[in-house]
Amino acid sequence: MYFAALLARTEDGWEASDTDLDDVETLADLADLAREATADYDDDTVLVFIEQDDAWFGVVRVDGEEDPRIYVSDAAAASRSSYGEILLTDEMLGRDPGTDDTVADLDALDLDGTEDGEPEGSAEEGDGEGDGEGGAGVAGPAGPGGAVPAGPLGDRKILADLGVPEKDLLGLVSGDALNEIADILGAAEVLEAVR
């Protein structure tokens, strides 16, 4: 299960609305959705809260037409979620945009001479002498999820000007984090109303 909500700061305070992310495929789609929430107000701040099974939470901040700012509490957990993948951009992960990570990860694997085209003798030698080493090379962090770090990732100062400094943000625990942030912002009641 996931929970997603928009918090829009307006002249009258924070307004919250739950949101369905089923049609959101990219960060740009998510930013457009956030901007639509403040179509009547110019350059207001919109926060998108996403929480997945109490395993991780994410905050996306959109200020007018500026690029979205993103914070994810646990990038490794988020990478296993289709909603988390929207937030984990190539830039955040330090990847070159447009590269096929699956192909790059497969190229990085050391198969110890067992790939197609190798003489049968060298494959057997590898099996007899270094089973543990060869197995570790394939099962290690070189797989598709290996490039995603565990722990927080993104803009840790995303909410600093709204009363949630970096240290406090890093100390939040999934499950209660979004409520705690909303409470600091003075938006706990409006968030609870859409939960």
Side-chain angles (χ1 to χ4, degrees):
M1 287 293 297
Y2 78 94
F3 169 74
L6 295 175
L7 275 181
R9 185 170 64 177
T10 68
E11 295 172 354
D12 301 323
W14 291 97
E15 294 180 7
S17 59
D18 61 343
T19 187
D20 185 2
L21 301 180
D22 289 343
D23 295 330
V24 174
E25 296 180 5
T26 66
L27 182 59
D29 292 343
L30 189 59
D32 289 344
L33 184 70
R35 288 183 184 107
E36 288 172 15
T38 58
D40 296 335
Y41 310 98
D42 291 331
D43 299 327
D44 280 323
T45 298
V46 178
L47 301 176
V48 182
F49 286 171
I50 302 174
E51 184 177 66
Q52 180 85 30
D53 292 329
D54 294 341
W56 65 275
F57 70 91
V59 178
V60 178
R61 179 174 177 166
V62 179
D63 294 300
E65 293 301 317
E66 293 180 23
D67 289 339
R69 296 164 59 191
I70 308 160
Y71 173 80
V72 176
S73 66
D74 187 334
S79 71
R80 295 186 290 271
S81 160
S82 59
Y83 302 111
E85 287 178 352
I86 293 169
L87 306 183
L88 297 174
T89 64
D90 289 333
E91 182 181 346
M92 280 182 69
L93 295 172
R95 297 178 181 159
D96 292 330
T99 57
D100 185 348
D101 293 324
T102 305
V103 172
D105 290 334
L106 289 175
D107 289 343
L109 291 178
D110 179 9
L111 299 177
D112 294 325
T114 58
E115 62 256 55
D116 291 340
E118 288 291 320
E120 285 184 31
S122 60
E124 289 172 8
E125 286 171 18
D127 289 344
E129 196 171 297
D131 280 343
E133 187 179 326
V138 173
V148 180
L153 190 64
D155 185 349
R156 296 174 180 198
K157 296 180 181 179
I158 189 171
L159 301 172
D161 64 322
L162 298 175
V164 185
E166 177 180 350
K167 180 183 74 141
D168 293 349
L169 183 62
L170 292 172
L172 295 175
V173 179
S174 297
D176 296 326
L178 299 183
N179 291 334
E180 291 183 38
I181 292 170
D183 190 40
I184 293 168
L185 299 177
E189 290 183 15
V190 293
L191 182 65
E192 189 59 35
V194 299
R195 205 177 248 288

